[in-house]
């Protein structure tokens, strides 16, 4: 990955090839939902660190249309 910072979300413990390994409980039916919660928290904290207002995203009207 060309020396990029890699974050893994997995149910397997202790994988050394990633910079950060977020371990979630082993659950076959809700694995995607649990991983999505982790991704949303990462996105929130990154936007706070970059001083972006996560409550007022830019260019929202381009992707959301109302009738």
């Amino acid at each position: 990955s060309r020396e990029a910072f890699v974050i893994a979300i997995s149910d397997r413990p202790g994988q050394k090839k990633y910079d950060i390994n977020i371990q979630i409980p082993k659950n076959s039916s809700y694995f995607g939902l649990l991983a999505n919660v982790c991704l949303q928290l990462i996105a929130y904290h990154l936007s706070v660190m970059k001083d972006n207002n996560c409550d007022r995203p830019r260019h929202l009207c381009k992707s959301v249309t109302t009738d």
Side-chain angles (χ1 to χ4, degrees):
S1 64
R2 298 186 184 181
E3 299 180 21
F5 190 79
V6 180
I7 300 172
I9 299 174
S10 175
D11 57 354
R12 298 181 186 152
Q15 295 183 355
K16 303 272 188 222
K17 58 186 173 182
Y18 305 114
D19 296 315
I20 293 178
N21 185 18
I22 299 172
Q23 185 179 355
I24 58 176
K26 198 175 255 190
N27 190 331
S28 61
S29 34
Y30 294 111
F31 182 80
L33 182 65
L34 293 172
N36 194 20
V37 171
C38 293
L39 290 171
Q40 286 179 345
L41 284 171
I42 290 170
Y44 170 75
H45 287 290
L46 283 174
S47 70
V48 168
M49 285 174 46
K50 294 174 83 175
D51 285 333
N52 290 339
N53 187 355
C54 58
D55 293 326
R56 298 188 55 89
R58 298 183 320 175
H59 309 298
L60 184 63
C61 61
K62 291 181 181 178
S63 59
V64 177
T65 59
T66 58
D67 290 327

